[in-house]
Amino acid sequence: MEISNESGSKKPKRLTSVVWNHFERVRKADICYAVCVHCNKKLSGSSNSGTTHLRNHLMRCLKRSNFDVSQLLAAKRRKKDTTISLASINFDEGQRKEEYMKPTVTKFEQEQKKDEIFNFASGKFDQERSQLDLARMIILHGYPLAIAEHVGFKVFAKNLQPLFEVVPHTAVELSCLDIYGREKQKVYDIINKLQGRINLSVGMWSSPENSEYLCLAAHYIDEDWTLQKQILNFVTLDSSHTEDLLSEVIIKCLDEWGVDCKLFALTFDDCSTDDDIILRIKEQISQKRPLLSNGQLFDIRSAAHLLNSIIEDAMEALQDVIQKIRGSIRYVRTSQVTQGKFNEVTQHSGVNCQKALVLDCPTRWNSTYVMLETALEYKGAFYHLKRHDPSYSSALTDREWDWATSVTNYLKLFVEIINVFSGNKFPTANIYFPDICDVHIQLIEWCKSPDDFLSSMALKMKAKFDKYWRKCGLALAVAAILDPRFKMKLVEYYYSQIYGSTALDRIKEVSGGIKKLFNAYSVCSTMVDQGSALPGNSLPSTSNDSRDRLKGFDKFVHETSKSQSTPSDLDKYLEEPVFPRNSDFNILNWWKVHMPRYPILSMMARDVLGTPMSTVAPESAFSAGGRVLDPSRSTLSPDTRQALICTQDWLQAESGDLKSSSIHTALPLRIESN
């Protein structure tokens, strides 16, 4: 409506904008006002002023009902988008206020599709739902709980939705715990409905306050042959915790999730973890269900952590040389004069390198490799600098340059291998065997060096490698055999180089190991057919009834009833030619397609290929430091900390696009130096 104190022959201009449902137009003298019907505030109402300032006022007007805010926004969007037809939309001045468009809300339901995040729902404001949405946002993106009390957030929330009651961070914390409880039940149901076994990885973390944490994650290949990972626990270890109690903490977590009877392998990131810890866990688990192959494949150590540990030995041995190279680079970069002098000797020495000399980050050994590699290209320039500049005191001897060259070649191999490990988005267990064998072969060669310094360093590295190889060599080989591109041929190829004249005996050990594992799965399959396994589970169980006295009978029947003329799944698989190698090969898709052809072997392949042979995150692949929890999480209570970290992982798993693009930046876990 327009109220005018001025008479005239002209008919007042019709007010077509929906914004005038909330304003009265009043003219006094030569000034035209727009008066808000909600709060009576006067704003400019002349035709030259437009309506943008009126819309902005309505968005902030505390006395206005929130229900029609989307009508204003929709009208604004329609003005900008000329491709949308307006024929069916009428925003006449007399339009009733209750005929508004309902606002959109964000839904976080598990079953929703990624492209259907925004859906139309009731326009009625829901404080409880908004508070849960806030909690989910905090969990998903790793924001601090205190964000709910930040002034900037309060202003943003009030301007966006005046009806939202800003709550203290303690209330948000309770909402986060509520979400954690519901999401945990979903994960529990998924894991316990799996037909096969699961693998677990155990990682140790610390905090700036020197607290210690245990991170337990489940790894498995689901019924769709997709590799999955779920963080199950992030346990705060008591300050009085000793290493011998670690097994009790792990067993308690396994029991909590009900997976102690479904466990195939346990992977520790620390290769020096006490074997007694594994032994105690084995004993506890085997009381309920025997481990397959007597637990030969149960104890796994992280391959990437092994390589990092070996590299630490090389870096420590070459420490004096590395310090001299750092000193040389610092000297060249001290001033423009010294830089100019170095550029001159570079030209005179015939060095043709376009790379810049840069210092390394001591906690990132790949940066040390880059520094060494570049410095070696300027070796001739540093020789000339030594002769022409008496102030240069960090010069290397000829022998030290030789050491730097050899160790840099070692590091190049490790950089390439760890790039393969960390660059693989879905690292199934089959990818590790060839690279670990390459390291094995190179260590053997390095130990033969006539230089005492290099040979002693290589011997120390190989001693650490040999301990890992004795523990994990069979598991690596079995996983490679289950790759149809490799089978036994890859084992034969590498073992002939590693073991020489004794290779045949070693190959037989691997062949016997995979057959023993396959026979265990065959027995499990027989027991399932006879109904003596747990419902919905392909694995045999033990009970207290009299049939347990005949627990060896099923195996006896299976072994004595096999027809010699009928080859097993494993026999058929190994006798067939290897599959051609190509870069697009997807091993999980291959087994999914060939599951009907190899029903028992595919069941075994699912468990083996899902074993985490390395537990290092891509962003920490080259870190020389330990894994340190972000301070924003280390100060929380143990229950809240576990809830936030676990639930973040689960929510990101539901949002596949977030999982792939932002998991490494969103997780509140980061790497720091010791």
Side-chain angles (χ1 to χ4, degrees):
M1 177 183 291
E2 180 178 3
I3 302 173
S4 178
N5 294 330
E6 177 182 282
S7 62
S9 59
K10 288 186 178 181
K11 185 178 179 181
K13 184 179 179 181
R14 187 182 183 193
L15 306 176
T16 58
S17 174
V18 69
V19 77
W20 290 108
N21 287 340
H22 305 272
F23 290 90
E24 289 183 344
R25 199 173 191 184
V26 179
R27 183 180 296 278
K28 292 184 179 180
D30 294 332
I31 302 175
C32 188
Y33 296 101
V35 181
C36 177
V37 299
H38 305 291
C39 67
N40 294 323
K41 183 172 182 177
K42 290 182 180 180
L43 299 150
S44 175
S46 68
S47 58
N48 295 331
S49 300
T51 58
T52 300
H53 66 298
L54 304 181
R55 295 175 190 275
N56 291 339
H57 168 74
L58 286 177
M59 300 298 289
R60 294 170 173 79
C61 181
L62 298 181
K63 293 188 178 181
R64 174 191 53 78
S65 168
N66 181 62
F67 296 162
D68 50 8
V69 62
S70 63
Q71 187 183 46
L72 299 170
L73 296 175
K76 188 174 183 180
R77 285 195 296 269
R78 274 188 286 272
K79 270 191 172 183
K80 291 183 178 180
D81 191 355
T82 57
T83 62
I84 298 178
S85 174
L86 301 178
S88 61
I89 303 176
N90 183 10
F91 285 104
D92 285 343
E93 184 178 0
Q95 181 182 21
R96 297 174 59 186
K97 291 183 181 178
E98 58 268 23
E99 294 175 354
Y100 55 85
M101 291 177 64
K102 296 176 180 178
T104 60
V105 297
T106 307
K107 298 179 74 68
F108 288 93
E109 301 302 327
Q110 183 180 12
E111 63 273 8
Q112 75 182 119
K113 297 180 180 177
K114 295 179 203 172
D115 54 349
E116 295 177 348
I117 293 178
F118 293 97
N119 296 286
F120 284 100
S122 171
K124 185 177 179 181
F125 173 70
D126 188 336
Q127 170 72 24
E128 182 179 355
R129 177 58 180 269
S130 295
Q131 185 171 323
L132 284 174
D133 288 346
L134 171 61
R136 284 179 179 269
M137 178 192 76
I138 289 173
I139 294 171
L140 189 60
H141 299 290
Y143 300 143
L145 289 173
I147 193 176
E149 297 176 352
H150 292 175
V151 173
F153 176 78
K154 289 181 179 180
V155 172
F156 170 77
K158 276 299 180 185
N159 286 338
L160 186 66
Q161 173 50 269
L163 296 180
F164 179 67
E165 180 182 348
V166 179
V167 294
H169 77 275
T170 52
V172 177
E173 183 177 355
L174 291 175
S175 296
C176 291
L177 292 173
D178 182 40
I179 295 170
Y180 166 69
R182 292 200 297 267
E183 294 297 324
K184 182 178 181 179
Q185 185 61 49
K186 293 179 186 177
V187 175
Y188 181 89
D189 292 340
I190 290 172
I191 289 178
N192 282 273
K193 288 178 182 177
L194 285 174
Q195 294 298 307
R197 296 190 180 233
I198 70 167
N199 301 279
L200 293 174
S201 62
V202 180
M204 301 302 296
W205 295 78
S206 62
S207 74
E209 297 80 19
N210 294 322
S211 297
E212 290 189 328
Y213 313 95
L214 179 144
C215 182
L216 192 68
H219 305 252
Y220 58 90
I221 295 172
D222 62 20
E223 302 306 311
D224 292 326
W225 286 88
T226 301
L227 183 61
Q228 303 286 357
K229 175 187 175 183
Q230 305 276 3
I231 295 179
L232 301 184
N233 294 93
F234 197 86
V235 182
T236 302
L237 300 177
D238 189 85
S239 57
S240 61
H241 164 79
T242 55
E243 195 170 81
D244 61 339
L245 295 177
L246 187 61
S247 58
E248 296 181 14
V249 175
I250 295 173
I251 291 169
K252 183 178 179 181
C253 292
L254 297 178
D255 186 60
E256 173 190 351
W257 285 92
V259 296
D260 48 346
C261 294
K262 299 171 72 73
L263 201 54
F264 180 79
L266 193 64
T267 303
F268 280 84
D269 58 9
D270 188 355
C271 294
S272 62
T273 301
D274 191 349
D275 290 343
D276 289 340
I277 295 175
I278 307 298
L279 183 60
R280 283 191 287 269
I281 296 174
K282 278 185 177 181
E283 290 175 350
Q284 287 285 340
I285 292 175
S286 59
Q287 290 178 6
K288 297 183 179 180
R289 175 170 297 164
L291 292 170
L292 294 174
S293 297
N294 297 324
Q296 273 186 295
L297 308 181
F298 181 79
D299 183 7
I300 305 295
R301 306 300 165 94
S302 172
H305 283 82
L306 165 75
L307 299 185
N308 277 323
S309 179
I310 288 176
I311 290 162
E312 284 181 19
D313 292 338
M315 292 293 189
E316 183 180 352
L318 199 68
Q319 187 62 35
D320 293 341
V321 175
I322 293 173
Q323 290 292 0
K324 282 189 175 184
I325 290 177
R326 286 177 184 145
S328 298
I329 295 173
R330 287 193 186 98
Y331 178 77
V332 169
R333 297 172 58 184
T334 52
S335 67
Q336 291 183 350
V337 175
T338 54
Q339 182 71 61
K341 186 184 298 184
F342 184 75
N343 292 340
E344 290 179 9
V345 298
T346 297
Q347 292 178 356
H348 290 308
S349 59
V351 174
N352 186 23
C353 179
Q354 302 302 317
K355 298 177 184 177
L357 285 169
V358 292
L359 289 169
D360 65 330
C361 174
T363 60
R364 305 285 297 180
W365 66 262
N366 59 327
S367 71
T368 305
Y369 162 73
V370 172
M371 181 186 72
L372 292 174
E373 185 182 46
T374 306
L376 285 168
E377 294 194 40
Y378 284 97
K379 182 171 70 170
F382 282 115
Y383 272 133
H384 280 75
L385 185 65
K386 178 183 178 181
R387 289 199 298 265
H388 293 90
D389 188 348
S391 300
Y392 174 45
S393 59
S394 300
L396 280 71
T397 64
D398 290 344
R399 194 178 186 193
E400 287 174 332
W401 279 115
D402 290 340
W403 292 345
T405 300
S406 297
V407 173
T408 301
N409 289 333
Y410 298 175
L411 296 181
K412 182 179 180 180
L413 172 65
F414 290 117
V415 167
E416 292 172 350
I417 291 175
I418 292 186
N419 277 330
V420 172
F421 292 172
S422 61
N424 197 305
K425 188 177 179 182
F426 301 106
T428 45
N430 58 300
I431 72 170
Y432 295 93
F433 181 76
D435 287 320
I436 294 299
C437 285
D438 283 337
V439 172
H440 198 167
I441 293 169
Q442 288 302 315
L443 284 171
I444 293 172
E445 292 300 315
W446 296 341
C447 289
K448 298 176 183 177
S449 172
D451 188 294
D452 292 340
F453 171 80
L454 293 175
S455 61
S456 61
M457 178 183 67
L459 285 169
K460 184 178 180 182
M461 296 164 68
K462 190 173 184 300
K464 192 173 289 185
F465 178 90
D466 288 345
K467 182 179 179 181
Y468 167 84
W469 182 254
R470 286 192 297 271
K471 192 177 294 294
C472 304
L474 178 60
L476 291 167
V478 168
I481 293 169
L482 291 173
D483 188 325
R485 299 169 299 171
F486 301 147
K487 300 187 178 181
M488 283 297 299
K489 292 296 183 182
L490 191 68
V491 176
E492 294 167 3
Y493 169 74
Y494 274 114
Y495 275 30
S496 62
Q497 299 177 63
I498 294 171
Y499 294 110
S501 60
T502 62
L504 186 59
D505 293 336
R506 299 287 186 169
I507 292 169
K508 287 181 179 178
E509 289 177 6
V510 174
S511 178
I514 193 170
K515 287 179 180 178
K516 184 177 181 181
L517 181 63
F518 176 78
N519 289 337
Y521 274 86
S522 298
V523 172
C524 293
S525 177
T526 302
M527 295 174 70
V528 169
D529 293 339
Q530 296 174 354
S532 57
L534 289 174
N537 195 331
S538 59
L539 307 169
S541 65
T542 57
S543 59
N544 294 323
D545 59 21
S546 59
R547 286 178 294 176
D548 264 356
R549 302 190 190 96
L550 300 175
K551 60 184 178 182
F553 176 69
D554 296 302
K555 183 178 180 180
F556 172 77
V557 170
H558 173 74
E559 292 177 347
T560 57
S561 302
K562 286 190 299 184
S563 171
Q564 297 298 321
S565 60
T566 304
S568 67
D569 283 6
L570 181 62
D571 294 332
K572 288 189 295 183
Y573 171 79
L574 293 177
E575 288 171 3
E576 292 171 353
V578 296
F579 193 81
R581 290 197 307 119
N582 62 76
S583 58
D584 297 329
F585 179 75
N586 186 314
I587 190 170
L588 297 185
N589 283 345
W590 192 92
W591 277 106
K592 182 178 181 180
V593 170
H594 290 81
M595 185 166 57
R597 179 170 174 79
Y598 310 110
I600 299 175
L601 190 62
S602 63
M603 180 172 62
M604 185 177 91
R606 176 182 287 156
D607 295 341
V608 172
L609 295 176
T611 304
M613 294 294 180
S614 179
T615 60
V616 68
E619 71 274 13
S620 60
F622 299 99
S623 175
R627 291 181 289 187
V628 182
L629 190 65
D630 190 283
S632 66
R633 296 297 166 92
S634 63
T635 56
L636 299 172
S637 68
D639 290 341
T640 301
R641 178 166 43 247
Q642 174 170 257
L644 292 178
I645 292 174
C646 291
T647 313
Q648 182 186 39
D649 180 71
W650 303 336
L651 293 181
Q652 286 180 334
E654 291 178 12
S655 307
D657 51 342
L658 286 171
K659 186 76 170 180
S660 61
S661 63
S662 63
I663 180 171
H664 303 310
T665 55
L667 280 174
L669 308 175
R670 60 190 176 93
I671 305 300
E672 291 183 351
S673 61
N674 286 329

